[in-house]
Amino acid sequence: MSKDERGRATRRGQPFLEEPEAKPFWASLREHKLTAQRCASCQKIFGFPPQSHCPHCLSNEFKWVELSGKGTIYSHIAYHRAWHPAYQDKVPYNVSLVDLDEGGRLVTNVVGLPPEQVKIGMKVEVIFEDTADFTLPKFQPAK
Amino acid sequence: MTNLSGKCAIVGMGETVVGKRPDATTNSLHLEAIKACLDDAGIKASQVDGLLTNQPLNDSHRSYATKLSHMAGIDPLFATDLALGGATPIAMVQHAVMAIEAGMATTVVCVHARKRSTADPSPGHPIRRGDEHWEEPWGHFAAAGGHAFAAARHMYEFGTTSEDLAHVAISTRYHASLNKNATLRKPMTMEDHQNSRMIVAPLRLLDCSLESDGGGAVLVTSAERARDFPKKAVSILGMGQHHPHWSLLDAPTLTTLGGKKSSETAYRMAGLKPKDMQFAQIYDCFTITALITLEDYGFCKKGEGKDFVKNGRITIGGQIPLNTHGGLLSQAHLEGQLHITEAVKQLRGNEVEPERQVKNAKVGIVSGHGGSLAMHATMILGAL
Ligand SMILES: [Zn+2]
């Protein structure tokens, strides 16, 4: 991870693994589990990004629960221009908004098919993409 | 509850030259806009007692309203930075009205400038939105992406096409072609739009707005004091805001945005309806933003924007001329500050090129839109 002149990590393009509220999310992904916070009071899924209090009822009691990893595409786009050098040879690539069955939405990639074949309403399931430092949840068409 | 409709007015406005301003700085552009505004209003900085500005995009400009006041020789009784992205310029005027009516200030400058086309070397660090680390790891980097999600969804729900969006870009470019202070003035054809390269599908290059240097300012005072100023005062008739989500991750929908409730509040305050509007200066960071806002503002039903923008309805001389200055798409992208100054000029009636003057303009609506399609502000202005 590169540092700026004040010694702060610059993470353009990378997840912020040390974000206190989100640490368990990134740790579970390392074990190939997609998790979210379930409110102990109203039982609803908090959604993303993780936060200290329930966005539905403001309770601060919750459990991290494993999700089914199934979801539906709310919308999808294809980047034809790379805003970051790491994507220079990846264009055009898909980015999708996936609504998870239990609640919560992720910005993610639907992979395993060309971007123009991705459709709104398509059922998808999670896959895990490991890098040296972190694991990203991505999605493929549900089997 | 007091109805603030018509209690305050805009009595001065200034615009800088826009486009590439390599020799300017963030500071100099703000000061240039303030100076133009005060000259237009015929007053000195010492007669101003309030200043509002948009939080700049670099952390060396903290508490910028106070800094800017003193750089300009203003001793403010009321000053603050607002941070509603492209909804800020309208929100500034709204806050000015509230401060004046609360008795905290009498004469308030609202100023916004940006240096985004050419480099602005600065000692500080850039300010970011704050949730990029939930988007960028999957390659989502740009405002174009967020708005492309809305466009794709609008296409899915209502059958809108890229050609439909082109009508917004073509009409706006036509208005820019008539505006001497516009960046892109060469008329655009449907072929130009459809042949422009894909940026983030379904949005093409010509669906995207500009990156600009420049700024603008307006001066707000009470309707009573407005009579003492030399130029025709423009009355603030209606105001509204709505911020229905923060990020793409908590947006309940991307096809109806904050403009619906924001405009309802503004229409109610003004006692006016969409059919009373003679022009619309609508935030057009992307073509889809303007199309959705026209629907949300009640000019047509939800989903009918794709047909509404055709047949000259949104062009000067049509039913509701849209962005008579050329908008963010073709004039300059200054977070909609120039949508406000353009509305003022239209209502004064003799300050724009005659070819793009709305005939006998008495009332019009202005929109601002910021963040990940998250924040919205509306203002209805009228000629006194
Ligand atoms: Zn709860």
Side-chain angles (χ1 to χ4, degrees), chain A residues 12-13 74-75 78-79 93 105, chain B residues 128 136 139-140 149 153 201:
Chain A
R12 188 159 164 80
Y74 174 74
S75 192
Y79 270 74
Y93 62 89
R105 174 184 290 168
Chain B
R128 309 194 70 202
E136 291 182 353
H140 177 43
F149 278 126
R153 191 71 204 185

Side-chain angles (χ1 to χ4, degrees), chain A residues 39 41-42 54 56-57 59:
Chain A
C39 178
S41 177
C42 75
C54 173
H56 311 289
C57 75
S59 166

Side-chain angles (χ1 to χ4, degrees), chain A residues 5-6 8 12-13 15 19 48-50 74-81 83-84 87 93 105 107 109 120 136-137, chain B residues 125 128 133-142 144-145 148-149 152-153 156 198-201 248-249 251 253-254:
Chain A
E5 65 270 34
R6 290 183 190 175
R8 302 180 299 196
R12 188 159 164 80
E19 187 171 36
F48 300 100
Y74 174 74
S75 192
H76 64 89
I77 57 180
Y79 270 74
H80 287 250
R81 188 187 139 182
W83 261 264
H84 188 285
Y87 290 85
Y93 62 89
R105 174 184 290 168
V107 169
N109 307 116
I120 288 176
L136 285 180
Chain B
H125 292 80
R128 309 194 70 202
H133 55 288
W134 287 91
E135 300 177 349
E136 291 182 353
W138 295 272
H140 177 43
F141 289 95
F149 278 126
R153 191 71 204 185
Y156 170 80
M198 207 57 98
I199 300 295
V200 183
L248 296 169
L249 298 184
T253 165
L254 290 176

Side-chain angles (χ1 to χ4, degrees), chain B residues 319-330:
Chain B
Q319 180 184 334
I320 181 83
L322 173 82
N323 297 343
T324 48
H325 54 326
L328 310 178
L329 289 167
S330 287

Side-chain angles (χ1 to χ4, degrees), chain B residues 282-298:
Chain B
I282 301 288
Y283 203 86
D284 55 334
C285 49
F286 299 92
T287 49
I288 185 65
T289 318
L291 188 140
I292 288 175
T293 306
L294 285 168
E295 295 172 345
D296 290 346
Y297 276 23

